[in-house]
């Protein structure tokens, strides 16, 4: 093998010039009920016992790459106050409050349009506020590789090494190395995005070595994103451009109030990633770090280190008494003593006004229970 | 078959002359933690959702036989106030407060000595305050048969029809009909009392038709009981006689304080029932009613009618959401919403300061958990 000189090597260990991080902070985290609520959704919670919420963890992870002045958070108006409180170093004008949820394309597109309006054709990198990552150096390296691809005009994403045949995540089918990409760590083409598979398909994905988990991270030049959007969704692009032009001016509130509700509700995956990938315009940088979207109590259990009895406790461990319950996930957030006897893989989530008891293999069913409570009109619990 | 005229027919449907009911109200009900606590033990709780506590249910059941003036309750000083509150028609001098727990022989013996001192050689019938019975007429009939045997000088008990080979109860081996007993419903001799058996032995007991459950009910003339006690446990008998002589006099407090702590701690089963049975002096009346000592959450579950999903709920059913959990026992006593998803036979007991999650087949293990909390010094939870 020839050792070719590397071009556009990923930058690791310092800030990346002209990179703006965009953090969409949305999503109810319904499957993490009753800890996650509409008023206190998943991203505002410390789900790992680290002392930092998922939003703060996302902020901390981005600081080496952007510093405090190049992070933008997009969130619902209801959560703007909590976000500002949790991120005291976030500049006031870097908190973009949506009047109502219009899905991820509007959220990220708004940030792109505002950033382009303010700073020109910067590179933006979008990371959800409610994921957990371990391996800061590998994360920074992957972002660097994605930024390199983005500077070359690609819509870049980060594909996470698929360590298990998960059926809870979408997958990215990885293609050939991009010209000039930095060896094994450099970005490659994306053949296609794949929806959450069934178990057999997931096993094939992991076995064939060509598939990585789709963590919903996008790295792209603001102008490139807005151009793709103008081509794929011209009305949405026009609406966002109109809002961005009024941003930072006295016309902002009226424009937002008039235009925002008309914006199409669509995920960035469908609006941009999939069609552009089909046209060969998406790159994927390998992300060889531990990542989880903490989608439910089972996945949270895997993130919490077990105690001597194999029990995963979040909250006040001194307030729990758990016996013969290996694998159990116990959340003591109700200021009470939680006793669990002989229920392996139990999920027990105790909060002041609601209690959940189930098992890890039924963690996905929590959403149906929340739906049932909503049907009962138990809004105060949602 | 000849139809012989019945002698000493059980009296059913009205008060039984000279019968005094003695209700020992003690026992912590540790296996029903966290609902049952030292300060609010099992007998003070409404465990069946009837609106009446177990103590009140016992009182209600006795009223047709004794009226309000021939019931005596023996309880610890700490619970005397609660007992008086729950039984407003109990005469003040019918509430005997023990300075400290000295087991069932001292409690029932004290009542016998006080009753003999006050009323002479009455018949007393002792029933625990924390059992559940369904079938008032059959209960009254069994008491009537036992009273008939007691009037003839026997220590009489009531043997419950053993509907399952329970290993949680002791058994009574039933002998021949007593002379003059009223046919099938009349009392018979007791061959022996049997300790809680293993499963195989319990199955034999149920199969052979000669064994009945020992519900710890004793019916006996006060003088007969005290005479047996004087023979079997002369010091205990002397102590109780001394206390009873001072009862209702100014000397009561000092005598009680001096003598009570010296009394032997022993169950009436060992002090009287077993030795007297061995000597042929115990009779058993058949009790063909539903009875349970509500020893643990599993047994409570069997007493609570299941809902459409097979779930046994105690407390506010509207505050519960239970799915795919047939057989579960759910106690909603914490003023919160209790959600249980897919845990058949779960036991979930929610109270304001402590939560228990286990399964019915591990209900006996609750005592060990309470012991562990005691070791931690969590006295406020006990």
């Amino acid at each position: 093998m020839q050792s070719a000189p590397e071009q556009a090597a990923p930058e690791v260990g310092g800030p990346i010039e002209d990179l703006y991080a965009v953090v969409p902070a949305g999503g109810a985290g319904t499957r993490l009920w009753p800890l996650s609520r509409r008023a206190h959704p998943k991203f505002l919670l410390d789900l790992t016992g680290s002392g930092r919420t998922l939003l703060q963890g996302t902020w901390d992870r981005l600081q080496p790459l952007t510093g405090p002045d190049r992070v933008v958070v997009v969130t619902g108006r209801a959560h703007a106050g909590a976000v500002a409180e949790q991120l005291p170093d976030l500049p006031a004008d870097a908190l973009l409050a949506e009047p109502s949820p219009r899905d991820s394309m509007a959220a990220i597109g708004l940030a792109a349009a505002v950033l382009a309006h303010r700073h020109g054709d910067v590179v933006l990198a979008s990371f959800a506020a409610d994921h957990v990552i371990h391996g800061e150096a590998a994360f920074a390296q992957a972002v660097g590789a994605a930024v390199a691809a983005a500077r070359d005009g690609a819509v870049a994403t980060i594909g996470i090494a698929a360590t298990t045949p998960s059926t809870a995540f979408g997958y990215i089918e990885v293609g050939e190395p991009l010209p000039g990409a930095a060896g094994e760590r450099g970005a490659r083409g994306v053949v296609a995005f794949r929806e959450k598979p069934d178990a057999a398909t997931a096993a094939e994905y992991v076995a064939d070595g060509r598939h990585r988990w789709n963590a919903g991270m996008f790295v792209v030049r603001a102008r490139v994103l807005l151009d793709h959007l103008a081509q794929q969704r011209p009305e949405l692009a026009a609406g966002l451009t109109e809002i961005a032009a009024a941003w930072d001016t006295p016309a902002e509130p009226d424009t937002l109030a008039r235009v925002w509700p008309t914006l199409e509700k669509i995920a960035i995956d469908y609006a941009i990633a999939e069609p552009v990938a089909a046209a060969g315009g998406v790159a994927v940088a390998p992300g060889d770090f531990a990542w989880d979207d903490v989608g439910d109590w089972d996945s949270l259990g895997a993130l919490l280190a077990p105690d001597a009895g194999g029990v995963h406790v979040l909250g006040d461990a001194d307030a729990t008494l758990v016996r013969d319950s290996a694998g159990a996930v116990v959340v003591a957030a109700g200021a009470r003593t939680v006793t669990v006897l002989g229920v392996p893989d139990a999920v027990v989530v105790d909060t002041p006004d609601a209690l959940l008891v189930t098992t890890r293999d039924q963690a996905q069913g929590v959403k149906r229970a929340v739906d049932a409570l909503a049907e009962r009109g138990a809004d105060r619990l949602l």
Side-chain angles (χ1 to χ4, degrees), chain A residues 26-43 45 47 130 293-297 349 356 358 362-374 381-382:
Chain A
T30 306
R31 289 185 184 81
L32 292 171
W33 183 89
L35 202 57
S36 181
R37 307 285 179 101
R38 285 179 187 163
H40 300 283
K42 187 179 147 193
F43 62 87
L45 303 174
L47 287 178
D130 57 359
D293 70 353
V294 207
D296 60 30
W297 292 114
V349 184
L356 169 69
T358 186
Q362 296 176 94
Q364 291 280 317
V366 172
K367 187 173 184 308
R368 288 198 303 277
V370 174
D371 292 345
L373 289 170
L381 298 175
L382 305 181

Side-chain angles (χ1 to χ4, degrees), chain A residues 19-23 62 66 70-73 111 115 123-127:
Chain A
L19 175 69
Y20 281 77
V22 174
V23 178
L62 294 170
T66 64
R70 287 188 281 121
V71 177
V72 169
V73 178
L115 287 172
V123 176
L124 63 87
S126 167
F127 306 99

Side-chain angles (χ1 to χ4, degrees), chain A residues 62-88:
Chain A
L62 294 170
Q63 288 309 295
L65 304 174
T66 64
D69 295 328
R70 287 188 281 121
V71 177
V72 169
V73 178
V74 190
T75 195
R77 275 186 184 158
H79 304 308
V83 168
E85 201 170 309
Q86 290 199 358
L87 303 179

